[in-house]
Amino acid sequence: MAEEEFTDINGNSISLDCQTHSAFCREFTVTSPKLSLRKVMVYTCFVWLFAYAVFFFTENTAVLSSAIILTLVGMMIHIHFVKVDHETLLIIGSLGVQLSSSYASGRESTIFIEMSKLKDIVINEAVYMHSIIYYLCILIKDPADPETVASVVPLFNVRSSCCCSIAKAK
Amino acid sequence: MVLKIFFPQCCNTADSGLLVGHWIPGHNSAVVLAVIHYPFIPGQVKKYLSELQSQTQVDLTVLGSWSMPKEGKEGMDSFLKDLSTIFPQKCWLQLSREIGKRGFICQVVQNNGKLLQDREQKNGDESSEGDKIILIHYDQRKVMLSQLHPVQDVSQKSDIEPSELRLVFQTVAQSQPLFFLDKYDDGPLKLTHWQSEGREASIIAELLKQASVPVCIFLTWLLSLWHWFCSFRILHLHPVLFISSKLSTCVQSGYRAVHFKTVFSPKKAATHMEFMRKANIFVSFLLDIALGLLLISWLYRENRISKLADTLVPVADRVAKELQELLEWLMGAPAGLKMNRALDQVLGRFFLYHIHLWSSYIHLMSPFIERILWYVGLSACLGLTFALSVLSDIVALLTFHIYCFYVYGARLYCLKIYGLSSLWRLFRGKKWNVLRQRVDSCSYDLDQLFIGTLLFTILLFLLPTTALYYLVFTLLRLVVVLFQGVIHLSVDFINSFHLFAIGLRICRPYRLAEGVKFKVLCQEPGTPLHLMMEINPLKCSSVLQCYRTPTYSCYPKDSWAALCKKLFVGELIYPWKQKTDKTD
């Protein structure tokens, strides 16, 4: 698949990769840009300078140690829970659809939706602050009544133009 | 239509033989459970399978043949093909491995002789006649032990059709008797499955299982004795019943008795939820006892309990003295407000006399307090929850005078408010119609109006005094109630915390499964798609939600608005209500 330039709604560039394992099995991977070293340095310096300024006035070393601990803990939480490295959509014909998010710390969270629960995959549009964004989502059947829709699962954390590529490729 | 074959990982390197498993109805998929090796007699295979079918309620059949290439056994392939005539099936699977390749080769022969193969399409079209095969590898032991959530009972007749994965899990879990034959058994058949290297067992686990039945019977008998004792008529007299429903110790012990009944029943747990509930209650009881013993060892180590007892009487005295000072402050000019002198003195002296009575009772009891507390402290060996309930009861008994003052103050204030509202209506020429539950106009005689207005004025001017006493004692009562509420909440927490489920999630995450994960294994041309199925464990938050033990939790009976209204009108409030029946 040709490497087109995609961006997410915040303007960061992302890349889409499509792998065909078999005639009825495909895997789409959306990769986010990595954690930028410059941002990390800027935030750390800011926090530590602020802590040093407070220390200058209060002469309490606990301020400095708490700033260090705060920075470390904040960074660990960010890479473990917030920073998504890549997301994968694996479509296996007549078995189901698997969504997997891989975080910067290596943690992976996966959900698998069986074919019998799947109603349809659609592109939905939503109004987000000042703009309209398009996102791909899966409609899941209600177990009691197969005609109604029980829940809507958004795929990937906000994409825009690559939605169309994935939908076309299906 | 895609054919899905679930293949156990333990059979990847098994010798050639027959595939035994189960066709999932309605889903065009098959679960392979074991491989039967040569030599075998087809009659014995059929007999064994029908025996197992009656034992496990799973429709076990021969699915096909499995061939593993080895030196000196090249002639197997044609032999394997002929087996399809001995075991007639609508679909005969032929799985084989080749030396040098990691993928399996799969051929499916249907009943009418038509051969379906998974071959790479040379022209690249997706023609409908080329039926596809997916081989899904699974870890047999983990799938057997795992439980898919949300839990659906097998015996329960539900409208929801079980999904394919759920059926796969159920099949493997129900086929446990198939996995009892291992390679050391001298039977006519040689099988390969996850336990064929030797059955897993532990002497301690077996001994505990054997010992648990008589122990359970004995404990159930003890419990029935306790119930017989509690059913004595004398204990059902109204005052005793009332007191025992108020004392949290009795409530807690009753609650524990119900727990024991669940745990120590000699019947084996039928469903997964029952088993988890029993295990959770048992583990939380053990934790309770352990914490209680820890508390005892801390309390009795440096004779701390005697020190506590020695400080108890001075603390009670101090509380009485503080109350006295408070009342004397109220009898003067509290916060600059001017009180009605006569009423003030009456109320103040009334309450002061109560405090005097109370402190004399405490002094009467003081020589015995140490001994009583020493023995009561030993009751913590029954569990930390018991010790906390005893503490809550002691606090309730020691602050009984505050409760009494609150009741007096509230009743007086309530009476005053009702009188005032009724006389205010009279002042305006209206009346409360009890029949119609509304306010109607009414013409009063002159003398009624006169007396009514007089009484209204008197009550109105006495209102600040009563209101102030009511306010002070309500605040004190609320402080005590808050403290008791905190103790009850912690007792509840220990009662309902499901340590076993959390421990299972951390140590054996495959037992509680939320779903599955698939991974695509390496692709080789000419082989079907191979997937690896792994168990996706339940999220910790779902564990907490799913396995809460039902408890008599304390919850605020009224909303904030209702509480404020009650306080304003002067109704007695009991903000923490014990639920009388179990809820989740």
Side-chain angles (χ1 to χ4, degrees), chain B residues 32 155 188 208 248 276 291 316 384 443 480 519 538:
Chain B
V32 175
S155 50
L208 278 175
S248 54
M276 290 298 283
L291 286 174
L384 185 68
S443 63
V480 171
K519 201 168 70 157
L538 203 58

Side-chain angles (χ1 to χ4, degrees), chain B residues 9 54 364-365 393 526:
Chain B
Q9 273 183 297
S54 56
L364 210 70
M365 288 261 295
D393 287 335

Side-chain angles (χ1 to χ4, degrees), chain A residues 21 24 94 98 110 112 114, chain B residues 4 132 163 516 518 523 536:
Chain A
H21 295 289
F24 48 88
S94 91
Q98 174 170 291
T110 320
F112 177 74
E114 284 180 80
Chain B
K4 290 160 268 196
K132 309 296 182 204
S163 65
V516 292
F518 287 98
Q523 273 291 94
N536 204 10

Side-chain angles (χ1 to χ4, degrees), chain B residues 288-359:
Chain B
D288 202 12
I289 301 272
L291 286 174
L293 289 173
L294 217 72
L295 182 70
I296 284 187
S297 78
W298 178 80
L299 270 181
Y300 287 84
R301 187 172 311 165
E302 285 152 24
N303 216 4
R304 284 206 186 95
I305 190 111
S306 313
K307 288 189 206 148
L308 254 163
D310 286 338
T311 55
L312 206 65
V313 174
V315 161
D317 268 344
R318 178 83 195 277
V319 169
K321 201 159 91 58
E322 294 285 330
L323 270 176
Q324 253 176 324
E325 279 177 20
L326 183 72
L327 281 168
E328 261 152 46
W329 179 69
L330 281 175
M331 274 159 72
L337 296 166
K338 188 157 193 302
M339 304 266 98
N340 179 289
R341 192 126 192 96
L343 185 63
D344 214 1
Q345 296 284 325
V346 161
L347 286 176
R349 289 220 188 100
F350 181 60
F351 290 137
L352 274 172
Y353 182 62
H354 270 87
I355 294 178
H356 170 76
L357 272 178
W358 186 255
S359 44

